[in-house]
Amino acid sequence: METASLVSAVDVLFVLSGAIMVLAMHAGFAFLEVGTVRRKNQVNALAKIMADFAISAIAYFFIGYFVAYHIDFWSSASQLTADHGHELVKFFFLLTFAAAIPAIISGGIAERACFYPQLAATFLLVSLVYPFYEGLIWNDNFGFQAWLTHHFGAAFHDYAGSMVVHGMGGWIAIVAVLLLGPRHGRYGKNGEVFAHPPSNIPFLALGSWILAVGWFGFNVMSAQNIGSISGLVAVNSLMAMVGGILSALVVGRNDPGFLHNGPLAGLVAVCAGSDVMHPVGALVTGLIAGGLFVWLFTFVQNRLKIDDVLGVWSLHGVCGLWGSLAAGIFGLKALGGVGGVSFISQFIGSAVAIMVALTAGFVIYGALKSFIGIRLTEEQEYEGADLTIHRISATPKYD
């Protein structure tokens, strides 16, 4: 009994360490956005990420976790401490994943979105939409995974959330971005594109580094117990990160904004197959993801005229989709992988995620736009979200 208790305690510490690392990633989301937006919107970026996390915690604790795993926390505290409170730290760990959804969306809708309607959207997304797909994949709700296994030989494989987390956030975000419309002054009447360069490259770089370091908790600790930990996951994450950096550096022609998003593109893509790919496969996955992000970000902004401020659809939505499909390619034994994956299952699982995300995005943000409004006025946007919403700038001047 003492040995079992010790193992349980170690597992709790293991999962808790992962939860803390992923919690720290939200500081990365915040500073990545702070460094990218204009100075008049820096306070708003910080406030959104902080407030979104609090709303996410309430939504996931009382509703979302039950929707995904059919587990609630209405038992007494003495019962909740069973196995050293393993179920509680598991909730904490998975909450940090769930809260990434609004953090991802925040970057796309930056500089012109109303504050409280976005918090309302966060509550609905984290309590109902994200947990629905999360439970479908990670808890086999409605027999979806069993159906895929029966028909195609393997379930949809997403070890750490390329599609469950990042893809879901990115594809919801593009709907919100489209419904909001571009920032005033971003595009001219005759098709001109007016640049809004990042306000603070050091902050942007800091956000990237915090995210990259925390990602090893995101991926490695997805084992959820110490006995299942795998060095393969760690090294594959590293190789994909490096691949993303190098391709973003080359394709982005030394642009520091692209360079510091490159590792994130690689890490988004490798989440799904980090436990089944060979490190060379992970490197290739990251190389493609980094280049794909740079090219698609430029295409979306300049050709399609879609004002996705941080490129979250390109980074999380499309690179998440690529990573999901890549798991079904580089996870195959024929390409050095562990096996146990099916490309068809990866395709179907990804398609379902996109359908859920797009539908939920249009319903939630469409309803909020119709009944409340989701965008600042032109005058408020010109003044900046910092002064309009929070009544203080990032660098206030004193007499």
Side-chain angles (χ1 to χ4, degrees), residues 69-89:
Y69 300 103
H70 313 308
I71 295 171
D72 60 55
F73 300 107
W74 296 111
S75 304
S76 67
S78 59
Q79 290 175 296
L80 294 177
T81 56
D83 296 325
H84 298 276
H86 185 268
E87 197 61 51
L88 290 173
V89 294

Side-chain angles (χ1 to χ4, degrees), residues 315-339:
L315 181 66
H316 298 274
V318 177
C319 288
L321 173 60
W322 157 239
S324 175
L325 299 177
I329 300 171
F330 296 110
L332 297 171
K333 288 186 177 180
L335 293 176
V338 173

Side-chain angles (χ1 to χ4, degrees), residues 333-394:
K333 288 186 177 180
L335 293 176
V338 173
V341 294
S342 162
F343 183 81
I344 298 177
S345 293
Q346 296 303 112
F347 180 84
I348 293 174
S350 300
V352 169
I354 293 171
M355 288 189 291
V356 170
L358 293 179
T359 301
F362 276 112
V363 170
I364 292 173
Y365 283 99
L368 288 170
K369 181 177 181 179
S370 298
F371 295 107
I372 302 175
I374 57 176
R375 178 162 183 154
L376 299 174
T377 66
E378 185 172 356
E379 182 179 352
Q380 290 172 329
E381 186 181 334
Y382 177 79
E383 186 177 12
D386 292 358
L387 294 178
T388 297
I389 299 172
H390 309 287
R391 308 299 179 190
I392 191 170
S393 68

Side-chain angles (χ1 to χ4, degrees), residues 104-381:
I104 290 167
I105 296 169
S106 175
I109 64 175
E111 301 203 294
R112 76 275 203 200
C114 291
F115 190 70
Y116 285 104
Q118 173 54 25
L119 294 185
T122 292
F123 185 86
L124 294 171
L125 291 169
V126 177
S127 62
L128 298 173
V129 178
Y130 168 74
F132 169 77
Y133 185 70
E134 177 189 18
L136 207 66
I137 303 305
W138 287 341
N139 199 46
D140 193 23
N141 291 351
F142 305 105
F144 179 67
Q145 293 283 45
W147 180 82
L148 288 175
T149 302
H150 176 73
H151 286 86
F152 306 109
F156 176 70
H157 189 88
D158 193 350
Y159 185 71
S162 285
M163 208 65 207
V164 174
V165 180
H166 299 285
M168 182 64 62
W171 285 90
I172 293 172
I174 194 61
V175 176
V177 168
L178 291 171
L179 289 174
L180 272 170
R183 289 166 289 177
H184 291 293
R186 185 72 174 92
Y187 303 112
K189 295 180 179 179
N190 299 316
E192 307 97 329
V193 179
F194 300 104
H196 289 344
S199 62
N200 193 309
I201 295 297
F203 276 167
L204 189 157
L206 175 64
S208 174
W209 273 108
I210 294 172
L211 283 165
V213 172
W215 223 296
F216 287 85
F218 198 97
N219 285 1
V220 175
M221 270 70 166
S222 284
Q224 296 194 20
N225 63 75
I226 194 72
S228 300
I229 191 171
S230 171
L232 180 66
V233 175
V235 172
N236 281 346
S237 301
L238 175 67
M239 296 302 285
M241 182 184 89
V242 170
I245 293 170
L246 294 176
S247 59
L249 175 65
V250 174
V251 180
R253 299 180 181 180
N254 305 326
D255 183 285
F258 287 140
L259 173 64
H260 286 93
N261 275 281
L264 312 183
L267 286 162
V268 165
V270 83
C271 286
S274 56
D275 64 324
V276 294
M277 293 180 179
H278 186 279
V280 175
L283 176 63
V284 174
T285 298
L287 284 166
I288 293 174
L292 180 63
F293 166 72
V294 174
W295 176 82
L296 197 56
F297 179 91
T298 305
F299 180 78
V300 167
Q301 297 279 344
N302 297 342
R303 295 292 184 88
L304 300 183
K305 307 267 189 314
I306 297 174
D307 192 15
D308 178 358
V309 180
L310 267 69
V312 297
W313 177 67
S314 306
L315 181 66
H316 298 274
V318 177
C319 288
L321 173 60
W322 157 239
S324 175
L325 299 177
I329 300 171
F330 296 110
L332 297 171
K333 288 186 177 180
L335 293 176
V338 173
V341 294
S342 162
F343 183 81
I344 298 177
S345 293
Q346 296 303 112
F347 180 84
I348 293 174
S350 300
V352 169
I354 293 171
M355 288 189 291
V356 170
L358 293 179
T359 301
F362 276 112
V363 170
I364 292 173
Y365 283 99
L368 288 170
K369 181 177 181 179
S370 298
F371 295 107
I372 302 175
I374 57 176
R375 178 162 183 154
L376 299 174
T377 66
E378 185 172 356
E379 182 179 352
Q380 290 172 329
E381 186 181 334

